[in-house]
Amino acid sequence: MKGFCLEEKLTNNVVLIPGGYPRHDQNLLKYEKVKNLTQSEAIIYAPTLSSLLTANDTKYTYSIIQAVTFIPMILKAFPERTLIFRPHPEDLDLIASGIQTQRAQAFRELLALCENHPKCVLDNNKTNYIESFAKSAVMISDTSAIAFSYFLTTGKPVIFFSPDQKALKDNLGHIRYIQDREKIGYCVENINGLIETLEKILLNNKHIPPSKDGIIFNEGHSEQYLLENLDYILSGKKHPDWWYLQDYLKEEGE
């Protein structure tokens, strides 16, 4: 989300441009229109795409199996709160296609729960999540990019649930997205920690206000930034504020 990235593989000319994220700017405008039309009391659970078979070193990026246990516990601990279950749209398609994996079965169990529990609501809108953002007070996720969209759009807290935070960092800690999770929310790895963090946020109203610093560039005017600097992109002229791989390679070779 931090910026545009252009790459010319034949010349090793990779350029990192701190442009911003036009879709986020549109989300801000949509959210501004609906944020005061509803009470912000719900809890959203929005896991990453999970149903497919994946490599073993990514297993700690998912929370859906544990969610079969912690979603009923959340509903019991906060009976006055609605819980919005927002699966990844591709997971809904995969479930409908009949995919058979352990995590797909966990999805089916949660979908059945939402169908029968009066305080559990399924958000299956494939293109618009802004209304659910407005209805909520906090999001629970794992490694889904929607967690960053949620925080950057609403400023509300996020809880990242991963079953083994150390293993996740050992395997994927080099990825900036994993590093930045602790900047915008709380990382927990067990159900007790999840419930305690929810209580701190919802009941005691105690949470550290996260910061957007270093997470998003040119918020609200990313398209304008692109237009203003389009000549640098088209002409190849060097921009004083952009990072160029060629410069880095020269420094390494010196």
Side-chain angles (χ1 to χ4, degrees):
M1 287 191 177
K2 294 183 177 181
F4 308 107
C5 178
L6 301 182
E7 179 176 358
E8 298 176 17
K9 293 184 178 179
L10 294 179
T11 60
N12 285 325
N13 187 20
V14 177
V15 184
L16 297 183
I17 303 173
Y21 190 26
R23 183 177 179 183
H24 168 61
D25 293 345
Q26 292 299 314
N27 283 346
L28 290 174
L29 296 176
K30 293 176 183 178
Y31 181 68
E32 192 65 28
K33 293 179 181 179
V34 301
K35 67 178 185 179
N36 295 321
L37 300 180
T38 184
Q39 291 184 315
S40 300
E41 296 183 346
I43 301 167
I44 300 182
Y45 173 53
T48 193
L49 175 62
S50 305
S51 295
L52 294 170
L53 290 171
T54 54
N56 188 60
D57 61 355
T58 65
K59 65 181 180 181
Y60 300 111
T61 65
Y62 305 104
S63 62
I64 192 69
I65 292 176
Q66 290 79 14
V68 173
T69 301
F70 69 62
I71 293 300
M73 291 181 67
I74 290 172
L75 289 167
K76 183 177 180 180
F78 305 94
E80 76 287 357
R81 303 269 179 176
T82 297
L83 190 142
I84 301 172
F85 178 31
R86 182 175 173 82
H88 192 288
E90 289 186 33
D91 271 317
L92 291 176
D93 291 339
L94 289 166
I95 296 301
S97 74
I99 187 172
Q100 296 296 326
T101 65
Q102 185 181 9
R103 289 194 295 271
Q105 181 56 34
F107 259 107
R108 291 187 176 93
E109 292 183 36
L110 287 181
L111 290 172
L113 172 65
C114 274
E115 186 175 346
N116 294 290
H117 197 290
K119 299 296 284 186
C120 187
V121 176
L122 174 66
D123 178 3
N124 59 2
N125 190 314
K126 293 186 177 182
T127 59
N128 182 14
Y129 40 70
I130 298 300
E131 290 186 9
S132 288
F133 282 12
K135 293 176 181 177
S136 67
V138 59
M139 173 178 282
I140 302 167
S141 188
D142 35 46
T143 55
S144 175
I146 197 174
F148 279 75
S149 294
Y150 179 79
F151 161 68
L152 291 170
T153 302
T154 69
K156 300 172 185 177
V158 177
I159 304 174
F160 295 96
F161 184 99
S162 300
D164 191 328
Q165 294 288 346
K166 183 180 184 304
L168 179 63
K169 290 181 180 179
D170 288 345
N171 286 284
L172 300 173
H174 60 285
I175 299 175
R176 188 62 183 269
Y177 173 85
I178 299 299
Q179 298 172 11
D180 284 347
R181 294 193 313 162
E182 295 181 10
K183 290 184 178 180
I184 72 165
Y186 301 86
C187 294
V188 301
E189 62 181 3
N190 56 60
I191 296 174
N192 286 338
L194 175 59
I195 299 296
E196 289 173 3
T197 305
L198 281 170
E199 289 176 346
K200 180 165 57 176
I201 294 172
L202 298 175
L203 302 183
N204 302 325
N205 196 27
K206 293 181 180 179
H207 63 273
I208 302 171
S211 172
K212 295 183 180 182
D213 292 346
I215 302 296
I216 192 79
F217 296 119
N218 299 303
E219 187 175 47
H221 54 274
S222 58
E223 291 184 4
Q224 179 183 347
Y225 182 88
L226 176 61
L227 292 173
E228 290 174 351
N229 293 280
L230 192 59
D231 181 56
Y232 287 95
I233 297 172
L234 297 179
S235 68
K237 184 169 58 175
K238 190 172 182 180
H239 194 290
D241 297 330
W242 297 352
W243 184 92
Y244 294 82
L245 178 61
Q246 286 182 329
D247 293 340
Y248 178 80
L249 293 175
K250 288 178 183 178
E251 292 175 1
E252 287 289 303
E254 290 175 357

